[in-house]
């Protein structure tokens, strides 16, 4: 018998994202991927290439409705002063209808890679911005129910 129930599946819509303590109400989607850096290990007499983890990196994208100039102003500050801004954030997944609990993940050292300054279109609908970023670190503040 499975220990998971269908109602425990988590809805992607039940998330929130806080950037420097302020909830991004115009956020449509948040995605973060962590990748291992690996060195190939080749040895005499062994036909398969081994792999040694040597580090990690993380990058992601925030998609938001264009409702503020906040990220564009970060880029302007860097352009004008040379000061690059690193922010901290918290991602929260809290589907009350699931029995899996609330997941909170802290993201530190968020640094945006690019921003579209102007995006107007006579045939367009609402403006959405895709904001790619990298982070310096992540930590689970409260993980979902741990099973191993």
């Amino acid at each position: 018998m499975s220990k998971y129930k269908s109602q425990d599946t988590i809805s992607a819509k039940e998330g929130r994202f806080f950037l420097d303590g302020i909830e991004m109400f115009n956020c449509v989607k948040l995605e973060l991927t962590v990748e291992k850096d690996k060195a190939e290990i080749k040895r005499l007499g062994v036909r398969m290439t081994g792999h040694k983890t040597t580090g990690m990196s993380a990058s992601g994208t925030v998609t938001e409705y264009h409702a503020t100039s906040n990220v564009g102003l970060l880029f302007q500050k860097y352009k004008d002063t040379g000061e690059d801004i690193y922010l901290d954030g918290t991602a929260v997944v809290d589907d009350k209808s699931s029995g899996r609990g609330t997941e909170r993940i802290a993201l530190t050292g968020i640094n945006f890679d690019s921003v579209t300054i102007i995006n107007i279109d006579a045939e367009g609908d609402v403006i959405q911005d895709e904001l790619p970023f990298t982070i310096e670190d992540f930590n689970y503040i409260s993980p979902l129910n741990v099973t191993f």
Side-chain angles (χ1 to χ4, degrees):
M1 176 175 251
S2 175
K3 57 184 167 182
Y4 294 104
K5 299 175 186 169
S6 296
Q7 63 264 32
D8 287 342
T9 302
I10 298 169
S11 170
K13 293 180 180 182
E14 299 298 335
R16 297 188 322 261
F17 182 52
F18 298 84
L19 195 55
D20 270 7
I22 300 168
E23 186 168 4
M24 292 185 65
F25 290 105
N26 57 336
C27 186
V28 177
K29 183 176 181 179
L30 172 66
E31 185 173 19
L32 177 72
T33 302
V34 179
E35 294 184 15
K36 289 182 178 179
D37 301 325
K38 293 186 177 185
E40 288 189 355
I41 307 299
K42 297 181 181 191
R43 297 166 286 158
L44 294 173
V46 177
R47 291 182 181 85
M48 293 295 293
T49 300
H51 297 89
K52 167 81 175 165
T53 300
T54 59
M56 297 173 74
S57 63
S59 62
T61 304
V62 172
T63 304
E64 67 172 359
Y65 291 115
H66 186 80
T68 73
S69 300
N70 290 344
V71 177
L73 290 170
L74 295 177
F75 278 73
Q76 181 175 322
K77 184 171 187 172
Y78 177 71
K79 175 184 70 77
D80 294 345
T81 68
E83 181 184 351
D84 203 2
I85 306 297
Y86 290 80
L87 305 170
D88 294 329
T90 304
V92 179
V93 179
D94 188 18
D95 184 350
K96 302 286 188 211
S97 66
S98 171
R100 305 309 293 172
T102 300
E103 181 176 55
R104 287 182 183 81
I105 303 171
L107 311 178
T108 54
I110 299 168
N111 186 261
F112 290 102
D113 300 335
S114 66
V115 62
T116 301
I117 299 296
I118 299 172
N119 182 9
I120 51 180
D121 181 350
E123 295 181 3
D125 196 9
V126 296
I127 299 174
Q128 287 190 8
D129 296 324
E130 287 193 11
L131 306 167
F133 63 91
T134 56
I135 66 167
E136 298 293 314
D137 201 2
F138 72 95
N139 286 292
Y140 283 88
I141 299 167
S142 57
L144 294 175
N145 294 338
V146 179
T147 59
F148 61 95

